Amino acid sequence: MTLENFLKYMNSGKEVVANSDVHRCMINLTQEVLKLTSELNNKYHTAEEVRKIFSKIIGKKVDDSFALFPPFHTNCGKNITIGKDVFINSNCQFQDQGGIKIGDGTLIGPNVVLATLNHGIEPEKRGNLYPKPIEIGKGVWIGGNVSILPGVTLGDNVIVAAGAVVTKNFPPNCIIAGVPAKILKFIDNK
């Protein structure tokens, strides 16, 4: 299976049956990205070197304004899209098989988890996977230790308080917090 066909299938949101061709392709991609994340995470790199390795991880060049503090973890890498002026703090985990899009000017705190896959509920289907994308708007600030679950879209300028678990979509210009996250207030965006 080609990478293009894999991404097309994953972005369709269709069920990934355990041990299928799509599932095996996903496992092979994991092995490839583990080599790259090991290279990124296990010695010092300049900011330019970090961008170069991260570009290899996601399979496309990131903007020169992109910054990341390792370590960084992903188990696919190839379904991540990053805007300009994005900062990712240390020890983030992106499970990106279902697709992750991060808008310009977004700040992501340490220990953030972006998860785009769920497992089957029925025990006989527990190994099957259900991909749903995460989309993060422009100017979003995600605090430390936040988890964002499959299918979530955050509008522009959202602030996610530290420790929140985001289970649903939120409109632009709001501050959210809690488990599960709820709107605390709206931002006056004049």
Side-chain angles (χ1 to χ4, degrees), residues 127-177:
N128 295 357
L129 300 167
Y130 301 87
K132 289 186 181 176
I134 292 173
E135 295 189 29
I136 298 169
K138 295 178 181 179
V140 173
W141 173 20
I142 301 171
N145 297 301
V146 166
S147 293
I148 300 178
L149 301 187
V152 167
T153 296
L154 298 178
D156 294 348
N157 304 314
V158 169
I159 297 173
V160 184
V165 176
V166 185
T167 61
K168 64 181 184 178
N169 299 342
F170 286 95
N173 303 311
C174 65
I175 300 173
I176 63 174

Side-chain angles (χ1 to χ4, degrees), residues 40-59:
L40 175 68
N41 295 334
N42 288 311
K43 71 176 193 175
Y44 170 77
H45 296 284
T46 65
E48 183 179 338
E49 291 168 334
V50 167
R51 283 190 296 275
K52 185 176 178 181
I53 296 167
F54 192 83
S55 293
K56 286 182 188 177
I57 289 170
I58 68 170

Side-chain angles (χ1 to χ4, degrees), residues 4-18:
E4 183 180 332
N5 288 339
F6 171 78
L7 293 175
K8 184 177 179 182
Y9 188 92
M10 296 306 289
N11 292 333
S12 75
K14 294 177 186 172
E15 176 183 27
V16 178
V17 176

